[in-house]
Amino acid sequence: MLKNNQFDDQTLGAFVDGQLDSKLSESIINAMEKHTDIRHRVYELRRCKDLMRIGFADASLENKTSPSSFKWNRYAIASVASLAAVAIALSSGFSGYYYGAKSKHPENTAETIVKQKSERILLHISESNIKHFSAALDYVDKFLKQHESTDAQIAVIANAGGLDLIRSGTSPFERKIINIMNQYSNVHFIACANSVRNLQKKGVEFQLIEQVRLNKPAMDHIIEYIQGGWTYKKVNTLTSL
Amino acid sequence: MTDRALHNIKNKIAGSRDRLYRVSLAWCSDPMLAEDLVHETIATGIDKCHQLRDEKQLFSWLYSILNNNWYRYLQKRKNHDDLNEHIPCENSGPLTNCQALDLIQQVRYAISKLPAIERQVISLVDLEEFSYCEVAKTLDIPIGTVMSRLHRARKNLLDIIDRQKVEDKQRTTQASQVKTEKRHLHRVK
């Protein structure tokens, strides 16, 4: 049995940087699948790498005066999406994150994608936690009331355990969610297609609350929304409006 | 090297200003100085590109020049510290004063707090995606040193960012407490 401390941080760092041979990389990937501790350590290294990219994605001679004039380019989006991927990977298992997160150099001429005109929030929920569900719905409720008769929008995307929020018959908030969706047109509840498929593979009987969208994996949605200028928020980091 | 090849290399060097600037800024945390260093590096690069033996090593070579320029700058400073200790942004500018630092500012602030030698390694690996071997060659240090500096840099960077978040949260809580107290005082009046 592999012990967690078999890989020191420098080796894990070399793994994250793609500096190891395939044999050692493979044994780390296997260890990550088995040991939360190693997974977490790799996550922290990856987080650091992504933060660095975000921190300097906008650094160019044209806009050198202020980091507040930050525009989302491909580099930054890749980094944020990568951070979001980490969140998903940690909540629903490791699969796919490592391979998906490695990116190449951006071009400095990368197109500016986002121009946020109105408030658009993407809430991401990935744990089956009644407090988080409640906090998310309270947030949605307040947001919609505060932005009534504006074109502000809010979406709640659920994957892994978070799907319990939008499962018909099991969600403790089914009635509330239906009411919200009936009352407002600028709110969307979205289920992760991958998580649904995983549950179905396990033979879990599954039905989503009516009007909940289901067509793509959460990661695709998150990237798409972020590219579209939405503000990404993880439910467990919510502060009230 | 043919004239055409030299011309292409010069174009590549000129087109790499933003790449160089990003790393330069990460190293020195000062936009004006970073720009100066980049201009100096490009000028030297264009001037001496005929010395470049392998075009694939262009960026490694350019960062070596940038590194030399920065060292020279530090050596010129009257009371400069040893590079191991050099922290240029101790109390500089609005970054340190701003209460609600956003993520970009937080990262830039955190990197400015790292020792210079750690900043160099982490920015070449994470921003430029250099291999450890390339970093070792560019900075003229052993690979083992690259790995240990990188490890320390990442650990310190995350510590600083996470500490900032806690401090920001505390400040927000304190501010809301003061607000509540003020509201109560109005009522007493």
Side-chain angles (χ1 to χ4, degrees):
Chain A
M1 183 79 178
L2 194 67
K3 286 183 181 167
N4 287 0
N5 59 9
Q6 189 165 333
F7 300 110
D8 61 23
D9 280 341
Q10 286 185 17
T11 309
L12 293 181
F15 165 72
V16 165
D17 296 323
Q19 300 292 305
L20 299 181
D21 59 37
S22 55
K23 201 175 171 188
L24 191 49
S25 296
E26 206 178 308
S27 55
I28 291 178
I29 291 170
N30 288 336
M32 285 172 72
E33 283 170 350
K34 287 176 194 155
H35 302 287
T36 322
D37 169 54
I38 292 182
R39 201 156 60 226
H40 183 73
R41 282 160 65 202
V42 170
Y43 157 70
E44 284 295 290
L45 291 163
R46 174 62 70 187
R47 179 164 78 99
C48 187
K49 209 173 171 66
D50 290 338
L51 284 171
M52 274 295 286
R53 289 180 188 163
I54 291 170
F56 291 91
D58 191 41
S60 69
L61 284 161
E62 273 80 38
N63 49 10
K64 70 176 190 305
T65 46
S66 163
S68 62
S69 62
F70 181 76
K71 289 171 188 165
W72 288 94
N73 59 24
R74 219 168 57 194
Y75 203 39
I77 286 165
S79 302
V80 170
S82 178
L83 279 175
V86 172
I88 293 173
L90 283 178
S91 58
S92 62
F94 162 68
S95 62
Y97 170 66
Y98 170 70
Y99 298 102
K102 201 160 166 45
S103 67
K104 287 284 166 197
H105 280 304
E107 292 302 321
N108 291 323
T109 54
E111 68 277 20
T112 301
I113 296 166
V114 174
K115 277 185 183 168
Q116 194 169 337
K117 287 172 187 165
S118 60
E119 186 136 30
R120 287 173 295 171
I121 304 286
L122 175 65
L123 287 185
H124 176 207
I125 187 157
S126 57
E127 282 174 59
S128 182
N129 181 321
I130 199 112
K131 278 184 188 166
H132 290 176
F133 292 167
S134 179
L137 291 176
D138 285 348
Y139 188 92
V140 169
D141 210 29
K142 280 184 191 167
F143 179 90
L144 291 167
K145 280 175 186 154
Q146 276 182 18
H147 295 85
E148 222 163 1
S149 64
T150 70
D151 55 357
Q153 292 190 70
I154 189 161
V156 181
I157 186 153
N159 73 309
L163 279 182
D164 288 344
L165 174 69
I166 47 178
R167 277 176 70 176
S168 180
T170 55
S171 171
F173 300 101
E174 185 168 358
R175 181 52 35 205
K176 191 172 179 178
I177 291 171
I178 291 170
N179 287 342
I180 288 174
M181 283 195 287
N182 288 338
Q183 201 178 340
Y184 300 95
S185 59
N186 53 344
V187 59
H188 318 282
F189 286 84
I190 303 160
C192 168
N194 274 1
S195 302
V196 170
R197 198 174 53 234
N198 287 341
L199 281 175
Q200 284 167 342
K201 268 186 194 168
K202 287 178 190 166
V204 177
E205 287 284 328
F206 197 90
Q207 204 180 348
L208 292 170
I209 295 171
E210 216 176 314
Q211 293 180 58
V212 170
R213 292 187 197 170
L214 170 75
N215 48 16
K216 277 188 273 191
M219 193 61 235
D220 290 0
H221 280 294
I222 290 169
I223 291 171
E224 200 176 288
Y225 275 72
I226 289 173
Q227 285 179 334
W230 290 58
T231 306
Y232 172 85
K233 285 177 189 279
K234 194 83 200 287
V235 168
N236 53 359
T237 62
L238 278 185
T239 49
S240 77
L241 277 170
Chain B
M1 208 179 281
T2 63
D3 281 352
R4 193 181 169 81
L6 274 178
H7 178 73
N8 284 342
I9 289 175
K10 282 179 186 173
N11 275 344
K12 272 191 185 174
I13 294 171
S16 63
R17 50 206 284 275
D18 282 343
R19 263 179 88 166
L20 287 166
Y21 177 75
R22 195 160 46 227
V23 170
S24 179
L25 181 65
W27 286 4
C28 70
S29 303
D30 176 345
M32 299 308 286
L33 174 60
E35 187 175 8
D36 285 348
L37 291 173
V38 169
H39 287 164
E40 219 177 312
T41 302
I42 288 177
T44 311
I46 288 174
D47 189 38
K48 297 188 173 172
C49 65
H50 58 277
Q51 294 176 358
L52 183 67
R53 286 177 198 159
D54 180 2
E55 204 183 319
K56 285 177 192 162
Q57 301 296 319
L58 175 63
F59 283 99
S60 182
W61 180 68
L62 282 176
Y63 285 113
S64 303
I65 298 173
L66 182 68
N67 186 37
N68 289 339
N69 289 338
W70 192 37
Y71 269 71
R72 209 173 305 126
Y73 162 80
L74 291 172
Q75 278 161 2
K76 274 186 201 164
R77 282 163 50 112
K78 222 179 180 180
N79 299 314
H80 75 85
D81 301 317
D82 185 81
L83 258 187
N84 286 304
E85 309 297 330
H86 180 65
I87 296 171
C89 277
E90 196 58 55
N91 287 308
S92 62
L95 284 186
T96 44
N97 301 328
C98 180
Q99 291 213 333
L101 294 172
D102 65 28
L103 192 56
I104 298 160
Q105 287 172 322
Q106 280 176 0
V107 175
R108 291 191 187 178
Y109 172 77
I111 194 126
S112 77
K113 292 291 179 190
L114 299 181
I117 52 170
E118 291 178 16
R119 262 180 271 152
Q120 285 188 300
V121 174
I122 195 173
S123 47
L124 286 177
V125 173
D126 288 345
L127 301 181
E128 281 301 302
E129 296 195 5
F130 269 28
S131 69
Y132 293 175
C133 209
E134 285 174 310
V135 177
K137 205 174 159 191
T138 304
L139 301 179
D140 198 21
I141 51 176
I143 286 192
T145 310
V146 172
M147 290 177 76
S148 57
R149 284 182 188 176
L150 183 62
H151 167 61
R152 278 200 305 272
R154 283 177 171 159
K155 190 178 176 304
N156 290 338
L157 190 84
L158 286 180
D159 283 348
I160 294 167
I161 289 172
D162 291 342
R163 212 167 42 232
Q164 269 178 263
K165 278 183 187 164
V166 172
E167 284 168 8
D168 282 349
K169 207 172 178 185
Q170 281 170 349
R171 266 197 295 267
T172 315
T173 316
Q174 279 169 2
S176 66
Q177 275 172 355
V178 170
K179 244 183 182 177
T180 317
E181 280 166 16
K182 274 185 182 171
R183 212 179 298 142
H184 286 309
L185 280 175
H186 280 302
R187 282 183 192 159
V188 171
K189 269 183 186 176

